[in-house]
């Protein structure tokens, strides 16, 4: 397709977003001010200067509404506010607050626009800005897509600056000085004579004046907190075992529950016999719920044992019963022109180039993957005739609230959701099925708080996994260079599956996640096409760490590496030659320097591979060195370079997220998959779904660059290059090309 055709298609899609924002909702709704939710529950003498800062007689409370699931977001959000508010963030109380439109995520939907992350043109930036409109209107308070820092960077610093200047204004009115003559330091306003007035002492006066909104944010060279080495506020508690997660929450008089749902997610419970379970120790009640049963008992262990004793007759699941059938559906979709969902990359004339040469060809598979965090799904719920209170770790608090409203027939002010620290998620907590179940159970025992916990087996087998996918690559090389690249990917639509559960509505239009991480890479190949084929809806699927890029990064970069090998070119040098984005080139150059790259061979039975994936606007390059031993492949060293935009807010945390993401990616590339039989995955606990062993983990070196133009998030971009870097290294060491994950199907690791 010509560039004009590409622009026309994108213009149509952008136009659709504009229509949604400007016509369907109207300018009034798009620009309507959002009320401050903290004003609804203020005591005398307290000031809620904006939705993120509350001043009380005891001190400062900071609202950090993006969920913390181990990535340090509570600390980062608090630091952003504290930098401008002039307080030590460790001295403040932090809270995620109650769900509210004021905390909508204006950045998370940007990944859906048909522009790659390296495109900062006017058209691309305009399209991204439109995405905040539906996010605001639909109150999309969610955590995901490495969007916390990009969305909150300006919001929270501005909130801190507004609070600071408003407190200065209160002090100015009290003292008779001009606000311009006052300064702040460590939670105090300082008068010209050096007198200090604590923020807490100004709360009552600050509550009576309009917030000062004409503020100037401090330049980075004046930062005191951001950009400095800090210990995340959750690290001491997590290091000592003192952290309290949702699963640790307790209320007086609480009962405990668990569930068994149809193994084929969405299938019905045809009948059940609970006579044996009803007489077991501790059992209080057995409750039918949607698609299954729940047991209420005096502790969780009793509930687990009784649930297993219930004899359930399940109806069939609403999708193919086996992985073999699912692979057949995916293969058929890849060959069906009617299943073409989108083609965001179509440069040059791929068909002519393929017809005129003997192409390099390869076929790939990536499996379903569970999220499998250490903390299984749980929620504590108390339902009365007038109120529903929910305590749970969640990335989607407004949707949790709205689903509870629908189940109970309650109004919005009758449902309260109290976010809890999360013991790992990787996208798992973007779902609310477990909370819906807990609400159903609590409704059956009104007035008694219920803690509902999934067993590990229920958590694994009722996860909404990362989608399985198949792909086919065809390409042409000439005179030592990659000339033609054609990649076709088929999978079910992730966005439609996930958003359908959240909103109850089908999502129109293409599903960008099918090719995210493949079509949007900064390479200038003369004939370059990436096509996404949408398979029928099968197993309900969801976001998994790095979403579409988690699989597409492997597909795209591995096939590029195959073409480079066929051309006889150096893997790093050819990527550099093809790369047209300056920050990405610098990342590739830096990983070459960091690893001492002088070619893929490191001697007999030793090799290294390089991979590059841009995801969420973050270019990341990785090099892995391996040794092929008689017992199997050993991972020796790993090198990671990423560019996260103009500022690094917390270098230690960024480095941790990068190599943590790489470890997560390597673990799943080597060891993990879900195989379906009788509608359910056969891997139901960690013994069958292993992470990366310590002895398999390489040494890491990490480097962070700041050449990009936009502030970026880092929770996910470290993952996508891991699998292709390892696969490319194994090829360099052994000559064996791995095209299917997990790799341990075809090779041993030591």
């Amino acid at each position: 397709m010509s560039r004009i055709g590409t622009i026309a298609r994108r213009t149509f899609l952008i136009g659709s977003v504009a229509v949604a924002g400007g016509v369907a909702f109207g300018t009034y709704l798009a620009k309507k001010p959002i009320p401050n939710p903290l004003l609804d529950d203020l005591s005398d003498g307290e000031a809620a200067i904006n939705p993120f800062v509350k001043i009380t007689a005891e001190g400062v409370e900071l609202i950090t509404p993006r969920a913390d699931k181990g990535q340090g977001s509570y600390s980062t959000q608090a630091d952003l506010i504290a930098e401008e508010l002039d307080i030590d963030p460790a001295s403040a109380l932090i809270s995620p607050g109650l769900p509210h439109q004021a905390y909508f995520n204006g950045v998370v939907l940007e990944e859906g626009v048909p522009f790659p992350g390296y495109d900062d043109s006017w058209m691309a930036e305009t399209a991204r800005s439109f995405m905040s409109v539906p996010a605001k209107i639909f109150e999309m308070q969610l955590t995901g897509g490495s969007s916390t820092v990009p969305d909150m960077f300006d919001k929270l610093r501005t909130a801190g600056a507004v609070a600071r200047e408003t407190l200065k204004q209160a002090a100015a009115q009290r003292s008779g000085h001009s606000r311009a003559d006052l300064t702040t330091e460590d939670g105090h306003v300082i008068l010209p004579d050096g007198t200090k007035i604590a923020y807490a002492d100004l709360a009552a006066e600050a509550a009576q004046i309009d917030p000062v909104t004409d503020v100037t944010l401090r330049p980075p060279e004046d930062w005191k907190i951001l950009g400095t080495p800090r210990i995340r506020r959750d690290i001491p508690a997590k290091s000592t075992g003192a952290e309290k997660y949702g699963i640790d929450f307790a209320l007086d008089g609480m009962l405990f529950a668990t569930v068994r749902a149809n193994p084929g997610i969405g299938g019905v419970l045809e009948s059940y016999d609970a006579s044996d379970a009803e007489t077991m120790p501790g059992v209080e009640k057995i409750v039918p719920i949607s698609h299954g049963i729940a047991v209420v008992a005096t502790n969780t262990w009793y509930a687990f044992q009784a649930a297993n004793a219930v004899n359930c007759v399940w109806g069939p699941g609403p999708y193919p019963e086996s992985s073999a059938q699912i692979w057949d559906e995916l293969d058929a979709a890849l060959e069906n022109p009617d299943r073409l969902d989108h083609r965001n990359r179509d440069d040059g004339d791929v068909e002519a180039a393929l017809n005129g040469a003997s192409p390099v060809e390869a076929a790939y598979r990536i499996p379903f993957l569970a999220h499998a965090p250490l903390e299984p799904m749980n929620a504590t719920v108390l339902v009365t005739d007038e109120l529903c209170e929910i305590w749970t770790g969640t990335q989607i608090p407004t949707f949790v609230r709205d689903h509870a409203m629908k189940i109970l027939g309650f109004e919005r002010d009758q449902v309260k959701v109290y976010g809890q620290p999360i013991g790992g998620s990787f996208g798992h907590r973007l779902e609310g099925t477990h909370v819906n179940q807990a609400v159903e159970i609590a409704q059956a025992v009104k007035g008694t708080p219920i803690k509902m916990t999934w067993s590990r087996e229920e958590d694994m087998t009722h996860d909404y996994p990362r989608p399985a996918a198949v792909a086919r690559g065809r390409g042409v090389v000439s005179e030592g260079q990659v000339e033609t690249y054609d990649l076709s990917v088929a999978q079910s639509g992730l966005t439609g599956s996930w958003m359908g559960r959240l909103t109850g509505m089908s999502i129109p239009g293409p599903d960008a996640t099918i090719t995210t991480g493949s079509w949007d890479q900064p390479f200038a190949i003369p004939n370059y096409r990436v096509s996404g084929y949408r398979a029928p809806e099968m197993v309900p699927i969801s976001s998994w760490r790095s979403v579409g890029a988690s699989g597409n990064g492997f597909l795209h970069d591995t096939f590029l590496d195959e073409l480079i090998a066929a051309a006889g070119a150096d893997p790093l040098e050819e990527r550099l030659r093809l790369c047209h984005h300056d920050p990405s080139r610098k990342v590739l150059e830096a990983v070459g320097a960091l690893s001492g790259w002088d070619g893929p061979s490191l001697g007999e039975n030793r090799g290294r591979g390089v991979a590059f994936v841009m995801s969420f606007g973050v270019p990341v390059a990785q090099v892995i060195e391996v040794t092929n031993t008689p017992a199997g492949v050993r991972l020796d060293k790993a090198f990671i370079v990423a560019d996260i935009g103009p500022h690094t807010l917390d270098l230690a945390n960024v480095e941790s997220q990068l190599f943590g993401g790489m470890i997560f990616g390597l673990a799943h590339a080597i060891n993990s998959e879900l195989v379906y039989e009788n509608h359910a995955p056969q891997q139901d606990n960690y013994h069958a779904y292993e992470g990366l062993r310590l002895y398999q983990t390489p040494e890491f070196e990490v480097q962070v660059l700041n050449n990009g133009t936009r502030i970026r998030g880092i929770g996910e971009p470290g993952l996508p290059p891991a699998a292709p870097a390892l696969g490319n290294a194994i090829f360099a060491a052994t000559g064996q090309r791995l095209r299917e994950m997990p790799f341990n199907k075809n090779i041993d690791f030591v």
Side-chain angles (χ1 to χ4, degrees):
M1 181 180 290
S2 69
R3 183 65 179 165
I4 293 175
T6 302
I7 293 173
R9 180 181 68 255
R10 291 177 175 174
T11 304
F12 170 75
L13 291 171
I14 294 167
S16 298
V17 176
V19 168
V23 177
F25 302 126
T27 303
Y28 172 73
L29 282 178
K31 295 185 177 181
K32 180 182 178 182
I34 300 173
N36 182 351
L38 302 183
L39 296 175
D40 296 337
D41 190 29
L42 280 184
S43 300
D44 290 342
E46 295 182 341
I49 299 175
N50 54 56
F52 302 97
V53 179
K54 183 177 179 180
I55 312 295
T56 72
E58 287 72 38
V60 178
E61 179 177 350
L62 306 179
I63 306 302
T64 55
R66 297 291 175 265
D68 198 317
K69 47 195 189 296
Q71 81 280 35
S73 67
Y74 282 170
S75 286
T76 299
Q77 291 172 89
D79 288 350
L80 287 166
I81 303 172
E83 181 64 65
E84 293 289 343
L85 186 53
D86 255 349
I87 64 169
D88 179 353
S91 70
L93 172 68
I94 68 169
S95 167
L98 293 174
H100 196 274
Q101 184 187 22
Y103 307 124
F104 79 92
N105 189 331
V107 168
V108 72
L109 296 182
E110 288 186 2
E111 282 292 303
V113 303
F115 292 92
Y118 56 81
D119 187 346
D120 57 3
S121 65
W122 175 87
M123 185 177 287
E125 290 299 294
T126 300
R128 294 184 183 111
S129 69
F130 278 134
M131 300 310 289
S132 66
V133 176
K136 175 182 177 181
I137 299 304
F138 291 119
E139 303 185 21
M140 295 191 69
Q141 180 185 342
L142 60 84
T143 306
S146 294
S147 62
T148 292
V149 168
D151 181 61
M152 290 298 200
F153 182 63
D154 289 328
K155 285 181 184 176
L156 295 186
R157 290 187 303 138
T158 300
V162 167
R164 180 192 72 230
E165 294 304 310
T166 303
L167 290 162
K168 286 169 62 178
Q169 183 62 34
Q173 292 183 4
R174 177 193 291 188
S175 66
H177 293 288
S178 167
R179 175 165 58 91
D181 294 332
L182 308 183
T183 59
T184 57
E185 183 179 8
D186 194 24
H188 293 77
V189 176
I190 303 174
L191 304 184
D193 64 2
T195 301
K196 295 183 177 181
I197 308 175
Y199 288 169
D201 293 340
L202 293 165
E205 289 153 284
Q208 302 304 313
I209 63 178
D210 291 333
V212 178
T213 58
D214 183 14
V215 297
T216 301
L217 300 181
R218 292 171 175 172
E221 57 267 25
D222 292 340
W223 286 349
K224 301 175 183 177
I225 299 170
L226 302 176
T228 63
R230 301 184 63 77
I231 296 176
R232 278 172 29 185
R233 63 187 301 145
D234 58 325
I235 294 301
K238 287 178 176 176
S239 300
T240 60
E243 179 73 296
K244 299 297 183 183
Y245 300 96
I247 202 170
D248 300 311
F249 184 80
L251 291 172
D252 291 339
M254 183 171 68
L255 289 175
F256 302 81
T258 195
V259 304
R260 278 183 64 201
N262 192 313
I265 296 175
V268 300
L269 172 64
E270 293 183 346
S271 64
Y272 70 96
D273 180 357
S275 55
D276 290 341
E278 289 170 341
T279 62
M280 293 179 71
V283 173
E284 295 281 325
K285 192 166 187 172
I286 296 177
V287 181
I289 60 170
S290 299
H291 308 289
I293 58 96
V295 175
V296 179
T298 53
N299 67 40
T300 299
W301 179 249
Y302 285 153
F304 283 175
Q305 299 307 299
N308 289 333
V310 178
N311 182 22
C312 297
V313 178
W314 307 111
Y319 47 83
E321 67 176 359
S322 71
S323 284
Q325 293 172 335
I326 291 169
W327 290 123
D328 287 344
E329 289 279 2
L330 292 170
D331 288 335
L334 193 64
E335 300 297 330
N336 186 349
D338 293 337
R339 284 286 174 182
L340 180 62
D341 186 76
H342 60 273
R343 185 172 281 158
N344 287 340
R345 190 68 173 258
D346 195 357
D347 301 340
D349 192 336
V350 170
E351 288 299 329
L354 290 171
N355 289 334
S358 298
V360 177
E361 296 185 299
Y364 304 91
R365 281 185 175 184
I366 58 174
F368 290 109
L369 291 177
H371 298 88
L374 284 177
E375 183 190 16
M377 290 293 210
N378 64 87
T380 301
V381 181
L382 173 60
V383 173
T384 66
D385 289 336
E386 301 297 332
L387 185 66
C388 173
E389 295 182 281
I390 300 170
W391 294 265
T392 191
T394 180
Q395 296 171 244
I396 51 168
T398 51
F399 292 102
V400 165
R401 177 200 65 199
D402 293 350
H403 286 180
M405 289 165 50
K406 184 176 181 180
I407 292 168
L408 300 170
F410 279 6
E411 299 298 322
R412 178 169 295 189
D413 61 0
Q414 293 179 280
V415 179
K416 308 294 183 185
V417 179
Y418 308 103
Q420 304 297 305
I422 298 170
S425 174
F426 319 114
H428 203 20
R429 300 286 178 148
L430 285 165
E431 301 291 343
T433 299
H434 64 295
V435 185
N436 297 343
Q437 293 171 340
V439 171
E440 288 188 65
I441 300 166
Q443 186 181 27
V445 289
K446 280 185 180 179
T448 300
I450 296 292
K451 177 188 282 187
M452 194 286 297
T453 306
W454 279 4
S455 67
R456 178 67 62 196
E457 291 75 14
E458 191 78 11
D459 193 272
M460 289 284 291
T461 58
H462 289 79
D463 190 8
Y464 300 103
R466 184 192 78 173
V470 298
R472 181 184 67 244
R474 299 182 299 166
V476 178
V477 299
S478 176
E479 297 181 357
Q481 297 182 344
V482 176
E483 294 289 337
T484 300
Y485 182 108
D486 182 36
L487 183 70
S488 298
V489 183
Q491 68 177 48
S492 300
L494 185 158
T495 303
S497 183
W498 173 59
M499 288 299 292
R501 288 189 296 278
L502 292 192
T503 67
M505 299 183 295
S506 61
I507 306 301
D511 192 326
T513 62
I514 294 173
T515 59
T516 298
S518 54
W519 78 271
D520 47 359
Q521 301 307 295
F523 297 115
I525 301 172
N527 306 297
Y528 193 6
R529 182 170 69 186
V530 178
S531 307
Y533 290 80
R534 191 166 183 167
E537 292 189 11
M538 293 184 280
V539 174
I541 51 180
S542 187
S543 293
W544 188 90
R545 191 173 185 179
S546 73
V547 201
S550 70
N552 283 309
F554 168 70
L555 301 174
H556 183 275
D557 191 90
T558 301
F559 185 55
L560 180 59
D561 202 72
E562 294 210 41
L563 292 175
I564 293 171
D570 180 272
L572 179 59
E573 292 302 320
E574 181 66 354
R575 284 174 173 82
L576 279 166
R577 186 188 71 82
L578 294 170
C579 185
H580 61 75
H581 178 238
D582 188 60
S584 296
R585 285 186 56 84
K586 286 183 168 61
V587 164
L588 283 164
E589 290 168 349
V591 83
L594 187 67
S595 64
W597 182 277
D598 58 1
S601 176
L602 291 170
E604 186 176 0
N605 289 318
R606 297 195 66 227
R608 56 185 166 194
V610 60
F612 174 93
V613 182
M614 173 179 275
S615 62
F616 307 97
V618 179
V620 181
Q622 298 177 358
V623 169
I624 295 180
E625 297 179 356
V626 303
T627 299
N628 186 30
T629 76
V633 169
R634 182 182 69 237
L635 281 66
D636 298 320
K637 293 183 179 180
F639 306 88
I640 313 170
V641 177
D643 192 310
I644 61 172
H647 309 297
T648 300
L649 303 184
D650 182 341
L651 180 59
N653 195 43
V654 169
E655 291 177 342
S656 296
Q657 293 301 307
L658 283 168
F659 72 72
M662 189 176 191
I663 289 173
F664 199 76
L666 291 173
H668 289 83
I670 292 172
N671 295 321
S672 304
E673 67 175 334
L674 294 180
V675 178
Y676 282 75
E677 293 292 343
N678 298 319
H679 303 287
Q682 301 306 289
Q683 295 74 21
D684 64 359
N685 211 320
Y686 291 130
H687 71 282
Y689 193 87
E690 294 187 4
L692 195 68
R693 298 294 187 176
L694 283 175
Y695 67 81
Q696 295 174 322
T697 304
E699 298 178 18
F700 285 90
E701 291 188 43
V702 183
Q703 185 176 347
V704 178
L705 305 182
N706 297 114
N707 298 310
T709 58
R710 294 184 62 189
I711 192 81
R712 299 293 186 178
I714 200 60
E716 295 167 285
L719 186 150
L726 177 58
N728 298 340
I730 290 170
F731 174 75
T734 70
Q736 182 178 359
R737 182 66 73 176
L738 300 177
R739 300 188 179 110
E740 180 179 5
M741 293 191 282
F743 293 162
N744 65 6
K745 283 186 170 183
N746 297 294
I747 200 165
D748 293 325
F749 291 87
V750 296

